[in-house]
Amino acid sequence: MTAETLGIWVATGLTLVMLSFLYKDNPFFRFGEHLYLGISNAYGVWFLWDLVVRPDFIERVFVNHQYFYITPAVFGFILLTRMIPRIAWISRWSLAFIVGWGAGVIIGPQLNSFLLTQIYSSFPWVNMQGVIGEPASVYIPALINSVILFACVVAVLVYFFFSVEHKGAVGAAAKFGIWVLMVAFGASFGSTVMARISLFIGRARFLVQDAEPRGHAFSICLAIAIAIALISIYLTRRAEKKKAKEQPAAE
Amino acid sequence: MILKPWERGLLYLLVALAVFLPLIFPFDKWENLPTKEVRGIYDTIESLQPGDTIMIAVDFDPASEPELYPMLLAVLRHAFKKDLYVLGVNLFNPAGIGLGTRAFTDVGDEYGKINGTDYCFLGYKPSMLAVVQAMNAGIANAFAVDAYKQKTASLPIIQRTPKLKGGIKYLVDLAAGETVRPWVAFGSTPGGYPMGAGVTAVSFADYFSLYQSNQINGLMGGLKGAAEYEVLIANKGAASAGMNSQSLVHVLLVLFVIAGNIAYFVGRRRLASKAGGAS
Amino acid sequence: MVFLRKQFPVVIAFLVGIFTLAIFYIPAKWAVNSGEALNIWVLIASAFGMVLGINSILGFHIEKVSKRRPGFGYSWVLILSFLIMTLAWIPWWRAPEEGSTALYIWGGLENPSGIFSWMYFWMMVPMQATVFSILAFYIASAAYRSFRAKSGQAIVLLIAAVIVMLGRVPLGTALTSWIPEASFLHSLRLEVMTEWLLNVPNAAGFRGILLGVALGVIATSVRIIFGIEKTYMGGGE
């Protein structure tokens, strides 16, 4: 038996264990849940150590002698004072450094790439630049779509603008904005459904095709074993509940 | 409305059957018609000449493998069929390195391509913004060794294309997370090369605004996007197989919505007539 | 002392925030280099935050085990799996030379024949993927249970969702494939309607939301830089 075969069996077993949650919370699922938490935390520790701390701190400071990079380690240790209640307030300096950096670094790209470009490309005359000179059968639908797009963007922005009361023309535009948002959310739900089903199709493909190339025997046997175990747990608990109900009645 | 246990069990059983049966008994009946967004990527790569270089950013991890790995295989097959040189990189998660190397090696062997000469998978580096900017100026500066531990400066493909700016003709970002916008802002726009994106179905609706504003010239969404690309390159693979299950489940969900609404309105009418009868 | 507790963090946030914002707009080489160095500083500093997270989760479960609270067996599973996986990535002895066929089981994901890689690909990935894929069933039950056409807006949402769900799969497009391509009713084909829905109203709706989000992010960032927003420091004196 190779490591890969053992791996396939373990992966199949754990997949079925996690799927057992569809029945209800049960000991198999809780075992899998705690196992997953332990492993993913260890992976997180490795990720940060091997890909952040080691190349960017240990190698820069102790191998390349760039002592400039000792400062973030100092900030890091300051952050750890949060574990000591008496001096936990010192960790605010580190938090302020990290949050201040985050606040400063996000503004430029948000303004340039998101805000300005998106506003610019909402205007019909910008969208129509690609179809100038095209025949009417292409130009007219593109023109109608550009105008509708612009109107919908403006309506949604008016809906989210709460500084002016939504009455009259503004109210009508805001109402149109809600309808546009309903269509957008409906379309987004359709896409989300696709994504979630695709994930399950991936697991199903693993169980059907990869798990047991010689005949699905292992997956089927394991699924039956887990189902029998769950049914027996359910029946045992039901019998215990019945007994507990009958006892006070007898007394 | 609270579902009774048998109702819940029946729903789950129907969904499970709709997914498992087409995988156990495969068939090829319904066509995946390619859409304009997917054609954008296909047409761009199709218009390139043999000897041009493209880059594929394998920015996903095993969690998104069902949707994005078939896309990677399809784009690689297309590129190698056209005798393009292909660079690969992962700026999302080191777990995706294994997926990238496996895809490049498997498809490379299919088309007789040589690692280091016809293709190169650079591997993973954190701090995406810094790495993209560095690669625009010089790939060997950002990646001293590639994912196969070969020195990049000595590889013929890197000597051919030492930097992204002015070197590559197209970038395809297969993204599970938020890597498309940084590639647009720090890679494609300053580097002057067009780009397309392949994303999971969850983010597909969001990236439409980027496609609309032509910041990306093509967009593949989820398993369907991968299946459409497979139809375009006339090489049906895992995505097309999964689309049968997807079709059945989608139709099933639409029937659930209709059935749920019928049950709701019938129930409401019964309650109203009971209340009317009581009064 | 009060200055060190309350005002000094705000000063740090202001100086760092203004500097980071300014260097985005300064095209000089020193600005780009400082920006890159600052990125790495923040990565390193925030990596230490992981220690806080591990302390919290392990501390909770170790206490559960020591006090024998109900379910402490599962805590043993968590602690042991964490220990095994952590010990697996530490290189206990030197790796063999490149090209050697000797078995070496230590190290992280860069060693495909190691215990860490095995546990990652055959335990963590399947469990993670399966937990997410359970959502497929919950969506099915939500579709039956909660999608009610109670108002005009709900009906519009439902119709848009149904059109996109059917238009994105080949079975759905086969349902309207009988409509000829060149005819006037061509736009009633499911895939054409889906494309229009995604390209026009959906793009417009999400663009509006994204613009609002971008404005909100910029406003919050400015508030943090100028010290109006201080909740990130946590409560207490």
Side-chain angles (χ1 to χ4, degrees):
Chain A
M1 181 168 65
T2 61
E4 191 179 328
T5 313
L6 178 65
I8 291 175
W9 288 8
V10 166
T12 309
L14 289 174
T15 302
L16 292 169
V17 153
M18 300 310 265
L19 282 175
S20 70
F21 186 67
L22 288 168
Y23 169 57
K24 58 167 134 179
D25 194 10
N26 60 76
F28 291 111
F29 176 76
R30 296 194 70 195
F31 167 79
E33 180 190 31
H34 283 78
L35 181 67
Y36 175 65
L37 275 174
I39 293 177
S40 54
N41 276 297
Y43 169 77
V45 169
W46 166 80
F47 181 95
L48 278 173
W49 171 263
D50 219 40
L51 290 148
V52 178
V53 176
R54 198 171 51 84
D56 286 330
F57 173 61
I58 307 277
E59 280 177 16
R60 279 181 201 264
V61 171
F62 297 106
V63 175
N64 300 337
H65 305 294
Q66 293 170 298
Y67 296 114
F68 180 59
Y69 287 94
I70 289 184
T71 321
V74 172
F75 274 113
F77 282 114
I78 290 175
L79 192 61
L80 295 182
T81 59
R82 209 161 178 80
M83 293 197 285
I84 306 163
R86 269 193 61 187
I87 49 168
W89 59 269
I90 303 179
S91 65
R92 286 179 188 172
W93 300 350
S94 253
L95 282 170
F97 172 70
I98 295 169
V99 172
W101 171 86
V105 91
I106 201 84
I107 294 180
Q110 283 281 327
L111 266 174
N112 276 14
S113 299
F114 299 167
L115 208 60
L116 294 177
T117 321
Q118 292 289 315
I119 292 174
Y120 179 69
S121 53
S122 302
F123 295 122
W125 47 91
V126 172
N127 284 329
M128 293 304 293
Q129 279 173 11
V131 291
I132 291 173
E134 297 282 341
S137 60
V138 173
Y139 191 84
I140 297 195
L143 177 65
I144 296 173
N145 283 339
S146 308
V147 171
I148 294 176
L149 180 82
F150 180 65
C152 290
V153 173
V154 170
V156 170
L157 287 173
V158 167
Y159 172 70
F160 284 124
F161 190 63
F162 298 116
S163 309
V164 170
E165 212 177 334
H166 287 181
K167 274 205 297 214
V170 173
K175 266 213 178 78
F176 178 57
I178 299 178
W179 290 90
V180 173
L181 281 172
M182 290 299 117
V183 175
F185 292 149
S188 182
F189 172 78
S191 281
T192 309
V193 163
M194 261 207 86
R196 300 295 171 228
I197 306 291
S198 301
L199 288 177
F200 183 61
I201 290 173
R203 297 321 298 155
R205 203 169 342 121
F206 170 75
L207 285 175
V208 169
Q209 290 168 359
D210 302 339
E212 185 66 35
R214 280 187 298 274
H216 318 303
F218 180 73
S219 334
I220 294 172
C221 289
L222 194 58
I224 292 174
I226 290 180
I228 290 174
L230 287 175
I231 291 170
S232 39
I233 291 172
Y234 167 70
L235 289 172
T236 318
R237 285 214 180 120
R238 211 169 71 157
E240 278 171 1
K241 269 193 200 148
K242 222 175 171 181
K243 223 177 175 180
K245 263 192 197 153
E246 283 166 1
Q247 260 184 346
E251 283 160 14
Chain B
M1 177 186 171
I2 299 173
L3 287 179
K4 300 188 187 68
W6 66 266
E7 278 178 318
R8 202 161 52 102
L10 181 64
L11 287 177
Y12 291 171
L13 182 66
L14 286 172
V15 171
L17 284 174
V19 170
F20 278 103
L21 287 177
L23 290 173
I24 299 173
F25 306 109
F27 56 91
D28 188 13
K29 202 168 154 54
W30 304 307
E31 265 206 64
N32 279 300
L33 295 170
T35 50
K36 195 169 56 121
E37 306 84 56
V38 174
R39 272 192 196 278
I41 299 180
Y42 176 83
D43 291 341
T44 312
I45 296 182
E46 189 65 16
S47 67
L48 296 174
Q49 302 304 318
D52 285 341
T53 311
I54 66 167
M55 166 160 265
I56 303 179
V58 183
D59 289 335
F60 60 94
D61 58 357
S64 311
E65 188 192 337
E67 290 180 280
L68 297 178
Y69 192 72
M71 273 185 213
L72 173 60
L73 293 179
V75 173
L76 273 173
R77 286 193 172 113
H78 190 197
F80 285 147
K81 201 162 88 167
K82 288 213 51 108
D83 289 323
L84 303 176
Y85 292 97
V86 186
L87 294 168
V89 72
N90 178 333
L91 299 177
F92 177 66
N93 188 312
I97 301 174
L99 292 169
T101 48
R102 186 160 51 117
F104 273 78
T105 316
D106 288 351
V107 182
D109 290 343
E110 241 178 75
Y111 287 85
K113 299 292 180 183
I114 303 169
N115 186 348
T117 310
D118 301 306
Y119 67 86
C120 173
F121 186 67
L122 296 164
Y124 168 81
K125 266 232 160 4
S127 320
M128 182 183 174
L129 304 187
V131 173
V132 169
Q133 287 169 315
M135 280 203 291
N136 268 345
I139 297 174
N141 291 337
F143 287 91
V145 291
D146 69 358
Y148 305 92
K149 303 270 188 277
Q150 304 169 108
K151 281 203 165 21
T152 46
S154 61
L155 295 175
I157 187 174
I158 303 292
Q159 285 163 358
R160 244 188 104 80
T161 317
K163 53 184 179 165
L164 295 187
K165 185 170 180 173
I168 62 167
K169 292 280 191 288
Y170 194 51
L171 165 75
V172 180
D173 182 19
L174 301 174
E178 266 294 325
T179 47
V180 180
R181 291 194 172 95
W183 267 115
V184 168
F186 295 96
S188 160
T189 312
Y193 43 83
M195 77 172 264
V199 298
T200 57
V202 172
S203 353
F204 178 66
D206 301 343
Y207 285 113
F208 242 87
S209 3
L210 277 183
Y211 172 69
Q212 263 286 316
S213 50
N214 221 22
Q215 285 167 295
I216 53 176
N217 73 356
L219 182 62
M220 293 185 282
L223 204 59
K224 171 138 211 288
E228 288 171 32
Y229 208 90
E230 285 176 357
V231 165
L232 282 169
I233 62 168
N235 192 336
K236 290 190 182 170
S240 303
M243 282 311 287
N244 288 332
S245 300
Q246 191 97 52
S247 295
L248 285 181
V249 175
H250 277 217
V251 171
L252 198 63
L253 285 181
V254 170
L255 292 174
F256 283 172
V257 169
I258 296 170
N261 275 290
I262 291 174
Y264 169 71
F265 285 114
V266 162
R268 232 175 53 163
R269 202 173 283 174
R270 266 204 206 127
L271 271 173
S273 63
K274 259 192 199 159
S279 62
Chain C
M1 195 60 172
V2 175
F3 171 75
L4 287 178
R5 275 179 190 263
K6 295 208 156 169
Q7 278 96 18
F8 187 53
V10 177
V11 170
I12 295 177
F14 174 75
L15 290 173
V16 174
I18 286 284
F19 179 71
T20 320
L21 174 59
I23 56 177
F24 179 81
Y25 291 105
I26 300 173
K29 195 147 172 65
W30 66 264
V32 173
N33 291 342
S34 334
E36 277 170 29
L38 212 51
N39 286 357
I40 295 170
W41 275 30
V42 170
L43 267 180
I44 297 168
S46 34
F48 282 76
M50 186 72 174
V51 177
L52 293 173
I54 299 294
N55 173 61
S56 165
I57 194 170
L58 277 185
F60 173 77
H61 285 278
I62 290 173
E63 198 195 332
K64 208 171 168 187
V65 164
S66 61
K67 294 201 173 137
R68 291 230 174 329
R69 294 217 184 100
F72 75 92
Y74 299 117
S75 297
W76 268 121
V77 170
L78 188 147
I79 295 167
L80 284 173
S81 58
F82 178 82
L83 277 176
I84 293 172
M85 191 120 167
T86 305
L87 294 173
W89 64 256
I90 298 171
W92 294 103
W93 55 82
R94 191 183 284 274
E97 291 299 317
E98 285 219 15
S100 154
T101 51
L103 180 65
Y104 182 71
I105 57 171
W106 309 111
L109 277 180
E110 73 279 355
N111 178 14
S113 53
I115 300 177
F116 188 90
S117 280
W118 189 92
M119 286 178 80
Y120 180 82
F121 281 106
W122 298 116
M123 294 175 88
M124 187 171 149
V125 166
M127 283 199 282
Q128 188 179 26
T130 312
V131 163
F132 282 114
S133 64
I134 287 177
L135 291 169
F137 295 93
Y138 292 154
I139 281 185
S141 100
Y144 179 77
R145 204 161 42 109
S146 323
F147 262 31
R148 296 288 171 256
K150 281 187 195 170
S151 64
Q153 288 162 4
I155 292 174
V156 162
L157 189 146
L158 270 179
I159 292 175
V162 166
I163 291 175
V164 171
M165 272 200 284
L166 288 178
R168 298 284 299 161
V169 290
L171 172 54
T173 54
L175 289 173
T176 48
S177 57
W178 51 271
I179 299 174
E181 274 220 35
S183 80
F184 176 69
L185 294 171
H186 165 66
S187 23
L188 287 179
R189 279 184 131 188
L190 270 171
E191 66 271 21
V192 176
M193 284 199 286
T194 304
E195 214 176 304
W196 183 85
L197 272 176
L198 288 171
N199 269 316
V200 183
N202 171 68
F206 276 99
R207 187 167 294 173
I209 293 174
L210 285 170
L211 287 173
V213 166
L215 284 169
V217 165
I218 293 169
T220 309
S221 302
V222 169
R223 286 166 61 91
I224 289 173
I225 290 173
F226 287 102
I228 305 166
E229 183 74 45
K230 285 187 275 218
T231 46
Y232 61 87
M233 288 200 279
E237 278 300 302

PDB file of all heavy atoms in Angstrom, chain C residues 199-218:
ATOM      1  N   ASN C 199     -24.688  41.467 -18.256  1.00  0.00           N
ATOM      2  CA  ASN C 199     -23.891  42.571 -18.800  1.00  0.00           C
ATOM      3  C   ASN C 199     -24.435  43.942 -18.455  1.00  0.00           C
ATOM      4  O   ASN C 199     -23.666  44.892 -18.379  1.00  0.00           O
ATOM      5  CB  ASN C 199     -23.845  42.479 -20.327  1.00  0.00           C
ATOM      6  CG  ASN C 199     -22.665  41.675 -20.793  1.00  0.00           C
ATOM      7  OD1 ASN C 199     -21.569  41.842 -20.291  1.00  0.00           O
ATOM      8  ND2 ASN C 199     -22.901  40.785 -21.726  1.00  0.00           N
ATOM      9  N   VAL C 200     -25.766  44.072 -18.319  1.00  0.00           N
ATOM     10  CA  VAL C 200     -26.332  45.413 -18.126  1.00  0.00           C
ATOM     11  C   VAL C 200     -26.843  45.635 -16.692  1.00  0.00           C
ATOM     12  O   VAL C 200     -26.147  46.266 -15.909  1.00  0.00           O
ATOM     13  CB  VAL C 200     -27.386  45.733 -19.212  1.00  0.00           C
ATOM     14  CG1 VAL C 200     -27.915  47.141 -19.042  1.00  0.00           C
ATOM     15  CG2 VAL C 200     -26.775  45.584 -20.599  1.00  0.00           C
ATOM     16  N   PRO C 201     -28.032  45.101 -16.292  1.00  0.00           N
ATOM     17  CA  PRO C 201     -28.500  45.464 -14.953  1.00  0.00           C
ATOM     18  C   PRO C 201     -27.607  44.939 -13.823  1.00  0.00           C
ATOM     19  O   PRO C 201     -27.375  45.631 -12.834  1.00  0.00           O
ATOM     20  CB  PRO C 201     -29.903  44.846 -14.860  1.00  0.00           C
ATOM     21  CG  PRO C 201     -30.121  44.078 -16.077  1.00  0.00           C
ATOM     22  CD  PRO C 201     -28.989  44.216 -16.990  1.00  0.00           C
ATOM     23  N   ASN C 202     -27.082  43.720 -13.963  1.00  0.00           N
ATOM     24  CA  ASN C 202     -26.234  43.162 -12.909  1.00  0.00           C
ATOM     25  C   ASN C 202     -24.942  43.966 -12.772  1.00  0.00           C
ATOM     26  O   ASN C 202     -24.538  44.325 -11.663  1.00  0.00           O
ATOM     27  CB  ASN C 202     -25.918  41.705 -13.220  1.00  0.00           C
ATOM     28  CG  ASN C 202     -24.866  41.142 -12.290  1.00  0.00           C
ATOM     29  OD1 ASN C 202     -25.097  40.962 -11.109  1.00  0.00           O
ATOM     30  ND2 ASN C 202     -23.680  40.896 -12.808  1.00  0.00           N
ATOM     31  N   ALA C 203     -24.309  44.283 -13.902  1.00  0.00           N
ATOM     32  CA  ALA C 203     -23.077  45.081 -13.863  1.00  0.00           C
ATOM     33  C   ALA C 203     -23.366  46.445 -13.265  1.00  0.00           C
ATOM     34  O   ALA C 203     -22.588  46.946 -12.448  1.00  0.00           O
ATOM     35  CB  ALA C 203     -22.484  45.234 -15.269  1.00  0.00           C
ATOM     36  N   ALA C 204     -24.509  47.048 -13.647  1.00  0.00           N
ATOM     37  CA  ALA C 204     -24.858  48.371 -13.129  1.00  0.00           C
ATOM     38  C   ALA C 204     -25.101  48.312 -11.628  1.00  0.00           C
ATOM     39  O   ALA C 204     -24.604  49.145 -10.868  1.00  0.00           O
ATOM     40  CB  ALA C 204     -26.090  48.904 -13.848  1.00  0.00           C
ATOM     41  N   GLY C 205     -25.888  47.308 -11.191  1.00  0.00           N
ATOM     42  CA  GLY C 205     -26.192  47.179  -9.765  1.00  0.00           C
ATOM     43  C   GLY C 205     -24.932  47.023  -8.930  1.00  0.00           C
ATOM     44  O   GLY C 205     -24.726  47.718  -7.939  1.00  0.00           O
ATOM     45  N   PHE C 206     -24.061  46.100  -9.343  1.00  0.00           N
ATOM     46  CA  PHE C 206     -22.839  45.878  -8.562  1.00  0.00           C
ATOM     47  C   PHE C 206     -21.864  47.029  -8.691  1.00  0.00           C
ATOM     48  O   PHE C 206     -21.089  47.294  -7.773  1.00  0.00           O
ATOM     49  CB  PHE C 206     -22.183  44.549  -8.944  1.00  0.00           C
ATOM     50  CG  PHE C 206     -22.784  43.409  -8.200  1.00  0.00           C
ATOM     51  CD1 PHE C 206     -23.731  42.608  -8.798  1.00  0.00           C
ATOM     52  CD2 PHE C 206     -22.438  43.165  -6.880  1.00  0.00           C
ATOM     53  CE1 PHE C 206     -24.326  41.570  -8.096  1.00  0.00           C
ATOM     54  CE2 PHE C 206     -23.028  42.134  -6.173  1.00  0.00           C
ATOM     55  CZ  PHE C 206     -23.970  41.338  -6.781  1.00  0.00           C
ATOM     56  N   ARG C 207     -21.903  47.756  -9.826  1.00  0.00           N
ATOM     57  CA  ARG C 207     -21.037  48.925  -9.938  1.00  0.00           C
ATOM     58  C   ARG C 207     -21.470  49.970  -8.919  1.00  0.00           C
ATOM     59  O   ARG C 207     -20.638  50.584  -8.254  1.00  0.00           O
ATOM     60  CB  ARG C 207     -21.093  49.507 -11.335  1.00  0.00           C
ATOM     61  CG  ARG C 207     -20.092  50.620 -11.560  1.00  0.00           C
ATOM     62  CD  ARG C 207     -19.941  50.955 -12.990  1.00  0.00           C
ATOM     63  NE  ARG C 207     -19.354  49.847 -13.716  1.00  0.00           N
ATOM     64  CZ  ARG C 207     -19.227  49.799 -15.030  1.00  0.00           C
ATOM     65  NH1 ARG C 207     -19.662  50.798 -15.768  1.00  0.00           N
ATOM     66  NH2 ARG C 207     -18.680  48.775 -15.624  1.00  0.00           N
ATOM     67  N   GLY C 208     -22.807  50.171  -8.799  1.00  0.00           N
ATOM     68  CA  GLY C 208     -23.312  51.104  -7.812  1.00  0.00           C
ATOM     69  C   GLY C 208     -22.876  50.708  -6.397  1.00  0.00           C
ATOM     70  O   GLY C 208     -22.409  51.533  -5.618  1.00  0.00           O
ATOM     71  N   ILE C 209     -23.015  49.405  -6.091  1.00  0.00           N
ATOM     72  CA  ILE C 209     -22.617  48.931  -4.755  1.00  0.00           C
ATOM     73  C   ILE C 209     -21.130  49.134  -4.547  1.00  0.00           C
ATOM     74  O   ILE C 209     -20.684  49.602  -3.499  1.00  0.00           O
ATOM     75  CB  ILE C 209     -22.989  47.445  -4.587  1.00  0.00           C
ATOM     76  CG1 ILE C 209     -24.503  47.289  -4.582  1.00  0.00           C
ATOM     77  CG2 ILE C 209     -22.393  46.875  -3.318  1.00  0.00           C
ATOM     78  CD1 ILE C 209     -24.962  45.854  -4.572  1.00  0.00           C
ATOM     79  N   LEU C 210     -20.317  48.798  -5.578  1.00  0.00           N
ATOM     80  CA  LEU C 210     -18.864  48.919  -5.445  1.00  0.00           C
ATOM     81  C   LEU C 210     -18.440  50.364  -5.286  1.00  0.00           C
ATOM     82  O   LEU C 210     -17.496  50.664  -4.531  1.00  0.00           O
ATOM     83  CB  LEU C 210     -18.156  48.305  -6.664  1.00  0.00           C
ATOM     84  CG  LEU C 210     -18.149  46.791  -6.670  1.00  0.00           C
ATOM     85  CD1 LEU C 210     -17.649  46.264  -8.002  1.00  0.00           C
ATOM     86  CD2 LEU C 210     -17.270  46.257  -5.554  1.00  0.00           C
ATOM     87  N   LEU C 211     -19.107  51.275  -5.997  1.00  0.00           N
ATOM     88  CA  LEU C 211     -18.793  52.694  -5.841  1.00  0.00           C
ATOM     89  C   LEU C 211     -19.083  53.130  -4.415  1.00  0.00           C
ATOM     90  O   LEU C 211     -18.282  53.837  -3.795  1.00  0.00           O
ATOM     91  CB  LEU C 211     -19.602  53.539  -6.831  1.00  0.00           C
ATOM     92  CG  LEU C 211     -19.169  53.455  -8.298  1.00  0.00           C
ATOM     93  CD1 LEU C 211     -20.145  54.199  -9.185  1.00  0.00           C
ATOM     94  CD2 LEU C 211     -17.780  54.018  -8.479  1.00  0.00           C
ATOM     95  N   GLY C 212     -20.236  52.684  -3.890  1.00  0.00           N
ATOM     96  CA  GLY C 212     -20.573  53.011  -2.515  1.00  0.00           C
ATOM     97  C   GLY C 212     -19.549  52.442  -1.541  1.00  0.00           C
ATOM     98  O   GLY C 212     -19.121  53.113  -0.600  1.00  0.00           O
ATOM     99  N   VAL C 213     -19.153  51.184  -1.785  1.00  0.00           N
ATOM    100  CA  VAL C 213     -18.160  50.545  -0.914  1.00  0.00           C
ATOM    101  C   VAL C 213     -16.831  51.285  -0.991  1.00  0.00           C
ATOM    102  O   VAL C 213     -16.196  51.547   0.035  1.00  0.00           O
ATOM    103  CB  VAL C 213     -17.978  49.062  -1.310  1.00  0.00           C
ATOM    104  CG1 VAL C 213     -16.740  48.474  -0.674  1.00  0.00           C
ATOM    105  CG2 VAL C 213     -19.197  48.262  -0.920  1.00  0.00           C
ATOM    106  N   ALA C 214     -16.414  51.666  -2.207  1.00  0.00           N
ATOM    107  CA  ALA C 214     -15.135  52.374  -2.370  1.00  0.00           C
ATOM    108  C   ALA C 214     -15.169  53.700  -1.612  1.00  0.00           C
ATOM    109  O   ALA C 214     -14.212  54.052  -0.912  1.00  0.00           O
ATOM    110  CB  ALA C 214     -14.843  52.607  -3.849  1.00  0.00           C
ATOM    111  N   LEU C 215     -16.278  54.424  -1.737  1.00  0.00           N
ATOM    112  CA  LEU C 215     -16.403  55.696  -1.023  1.00  0.00           C
ATOM    113  C   LEU C 215     -16.368  55.472   0.485  1.00  0.00           C
ATOM    114  O   LEU C 215     -15.720  56.217   1.226  1.00  0.00           O
ATOM    115  CB  LEU C 215     -17.705  56.400  -1.410  1.00  0.00           C
ATOM    116  CG  LEU C 215     -17.713  57.076  -2.778  1.00  0.00           C
ATOM    117  CD1 LEU C 215     -19.119  57.497  -3.148  1.00  0.00           C
ATOM    118  CD2 LEU C 215     -16.777  58.279  -2.788  1.00  0.00           C
ATOM    119  N   GLY C 216     -17.058  54.399   0.929  1.00  0.00           N
ATOM    120  CA  GLY C 216     -17.068  54.088   2.361  1.00  0.00           C
ATOM    121  C   GLY C 216     -15.688  53.739   2.870  1.00  0.00           C
ATOM    122  O   GLY C 216     -15.273  54.179   3.953  1.00  0.00           O
ATOM    123  N   VAL C 217     -14.944  52.948   2.073  1.00  0.00           N
ATOM    124  CA  VAL C 217     -13.579  52.562   2.473  1.00  0.00           C
ATOM    125  C   VAL C 217     -12.695  53.796   2.578  1.00  0.00           C
ATOM    126  O   VAL C 217     -11.942  53.962   3.551  1.00  0.00           O
ATOM    127  CB  VAL C 217     -12.988  51.561   1.454  1.00  0.00           C
ATOM    128  CG1 VAL C 217     -11.494  51.433   1.625  1.00  0.00           C
ATOM    129  CG2 VAL C 217     -13.641  50.209   1.599  1.00  0.00           C
ATOM    130  N   ILE C 218     -12.801  54.691   1.589  1.00  0.00           N
ATOM    131  CA  ILE C 218     -11.979  55.905   1.621  1.00  0.00           C
ATOM    132  C   ILE C 218     -12.352  56.753   2.830  1.00  0.00           C
ATOM    133  O   ILE C 218     -11.471  57.251   3.555  1.00  0.00           O
ATOM    134  CB  ILE C 218     -12.144  56.705   0.311  1.00  0.00           C
ATOM    135  CG1 ILE C 218     -11.552  55.919  -0.859  1.00  0.00           C
ATOM    136  CG2 ILE C 218     -11.470  58.063   0.401  1.00  0.00           C
ATOM    137  CD1 ILE C 218     -11.875  56.473  -2.211  1.00  0.00           C
TER     138      ILE C 218
END
